[in-house]
Structures are given as C-alpha cells and as structure tokens.
Amino acid sequence: MAGDRDVKKGRVIDSPRAARVLRAAFYAVLAILLVLGFLVPGHPDFSWERLPGFFALYGFISCVVIIAVSKILGKLLLTRKEDYYDW
C-alpha cells in the first residue's frame, strides 16, 4: 500500500501515531475554543447568537448537513449499477 511505503520512506505525518497525536491536538483546540466561546463576550447581531456555544453547535450542524447532502448527491449522481460499464 502507498501509505505503508510512505511511512517507510520517513513521512511521519502518515503514521498512525501521528494521526492520533493530530486528532488529540484538534480535539484539544476545539475544546479550548468551545470554552472560550462561553467566557469571551461576543458582539451578537441576532438574539440566538447570545446562546452559549451557539457557534460550535452551528458549525457542527452545518458539517453534518454538508456530509449528508454530499452523500445523497453522490448516491444520486455518481453511483451506477454494478453492470453499468458492461455492454
């Protein structure tokens, strides 16, 4: 596999340990940003933006919607029957 070959060549970023470290770092940054969202007062334009954690929830729901819509579009537009290329 290409991933194993790259790890052997010295690309540390593709190793499972590096992936775990990066994932933990991303989760830590997300947690810090969520906590800061509760502590730092913002300048809300709308009343719902005053809810604690609104932007974190908004971002999460947006990502879920993007993934769901892309899966649906991929299923509708890209997926072909198993014998599509058989003439």
Side-chain angles (χ1 to χ4, degrees):
M1 295 179 57
D4 295 337
R5 190 174 36 209
D6 291 337
V7 171
K8 290 177 184 175
K9 287 181 179 177
R11 289 184 57 179
V12 178
I13 194 73
D14 292 333
S15 72
R17 183 173 184 268
R20 282 193 304 269
V21 170
L22 284 174
R23 188 177 308 127
F26 287 136
Y27 286 143
V29 169
L30 287 174
I32 290 169
L33 290 175
L34 183 62
V35 170
L36 285 177
F38 285 101
L39 299 177
V40 177
H43 302 285
D45 292 325
F46 301 102
S47 61
W48 56 82
E49 292 177 357
R50 291 188 182 111
L51 296 172
F54 167 77
F55 289 105
L57 184 64
Y58 180 75
F60 176 74
I61 291 172
S62 299
C63 286
V64 169
V65 168
I66 288 170
I67 291 170
V69 168
S70 64
K71 282 189 168 224
I72 291 169
L73 287 177
K75 187 81 171 179
L76 291 175
L77 301 176
L78 298 176
T79 303
R80 300 286 182 239
K81 292 181 180 179
E82 191 170 319
D83 59 348
Y84 178 76
Y85 293 105
D86 296 338
W87 291 76

